[in-house]
Structure formats: structure tokens, C-alpha cells
Amino acid sequence: MRELEGKWAHEVFRAGQREAAPVVVVAGLARAKGAGAVVGASSKEVVEELARTVTEADDHRLPAQLSGADSDTWRELADAFDALTDEDRHVEWVGGGKQPNGTIHVAYPRYSEPLMRVCAALRAVGAVTPEYRWTEAPLPTPAPDGRIAPAHAVRAATTVLVGERISEGMIADAAKDGLLDAIGASLRAWHVRRTLPTPPDPRRTPTP
């Protein structure tokens, strides 16, 4: 998918250089494996906006990234969240301030081992995925009742854990405001629903 995304971006850029209609270029690319039909695109800006549009297909595609994890990996996710305490969620910032030699150090968060265990478990089940363009969308947040949909949970996990590398403290914020717990609860519930046996279809009569 990332290779396909890069190819599309390159070809659309080249189309703009030679003043070709993006809709023609994208229509040709849409015939590639893994792509879909193009409805219409009158400019490069329209193509970029379409890329940012969230569709029902996205909401099915993102949780599908989780299907490869085995039962032990999901059990580790559940155990990691169940073991997390309020003390573990508390994050201390260290290392900031002016040093005796005059240099200024930027403070950084010191995360607890149980909190890092949760983050590792989220990665292990596939909740962090390049399928989501996290830099082009706002951080998803839970509903007023504290719940978050599975697709949004994947979006939020990707944004928080990958974003931490660029802006330290995102994990701290997610642990403090309940987003991290909402992500865990959503993904665990998704996994339980997925592993439940399919109920019999009442419209089908048993064969004698």
C-alpha cells in the first residue's frame, strides 16, 4: 500500500508539471492492483482532498490490520492493560533546565515499564499501521461516554505511538486523559466480537 501511495503521489506531481489533467492520470493508476475506481478529479488539490477523505471502506480496512495477531498476542494486550495502575499512568518529566555549564536541556518524559508494555502490546496486535496517514488528520478522541470505534482506535494508536517520536509527551497525554484506555477497551472488544462463534441463521432450516 505504501508503495502504491508513493507511486500515485509521484505520478500526480508529474502530471502537474506537464499540465496534464490529474483525472486522466489517476484514472490510469486506478487500474493498478489494490486501487479503486476514480469518480473524478479536476486538480491536484482535489486528488489530495480525496486522499484525506474517510470512507466506510477505511473503517473496515484499518481494523483488518489487527487480524494477523494470534491469541497469545491478544492475551498480552489484555494482561498489559489489566495490570496498568494509576501510578503507572503518571509520567514524570526529567532532564530539563539550564545545566551548570550553561547548556539548556529539553525535558523528556520518563515512562513506566508497565506503560511501555501497553505500548508494545498495541504495536504487536497491529494497532500501529502505515495504512493510516496520521499526519494529515486530527487525533481521534473518544465519544462523551468514553468509547471509541475500532477504526478510530487504530487511528489514535498510530497517531500517539508514532507521533511520540516527533513530539514527546503524546503517550503521556493519552495515558492522562483516558484515550489510551479507550483504545485498549475498543480493540479488546473488537477482538472478542471477532472470535465469537457465528450464530445460526434463523432463515435456514436444519437438514433432516
Side-chain angles (χ1 to χ4, degrees), residues 12 24 49 55 59 75 88 106 114 124 153 158 183:
V12 170
V24 176
E49 183 60 31
T55 68
D59 288 340
R75 189 176 300 111
D88 297 329
V106 177
T158 300
I183 292 170

Side-chain angles (χ1 to χ4, degrees), residues 151-201:
H152 273 346
V154 173
R155 293 181 179 105
T158 300
T159 302
V160 169
L161 298 189
V162 179
E164 177 72 21
R165 300 174 182 173
I166 300 172
S167 178
E168 289 184 316
M170 294 193 70
I171 294 174
D173 291 341
K176 182 179 179 180
D177 63 19
L179 176 59
L180 195 64
D181 289 294
I183 292 170
S186 177
L187 298 183
R188 292 171 66 179
W190 176 89
H191 176 63
V192 169
R193 290 193 300 270
R194 180 174 172 271
T195 54
L196 287 175
T198 304
D201 189 342

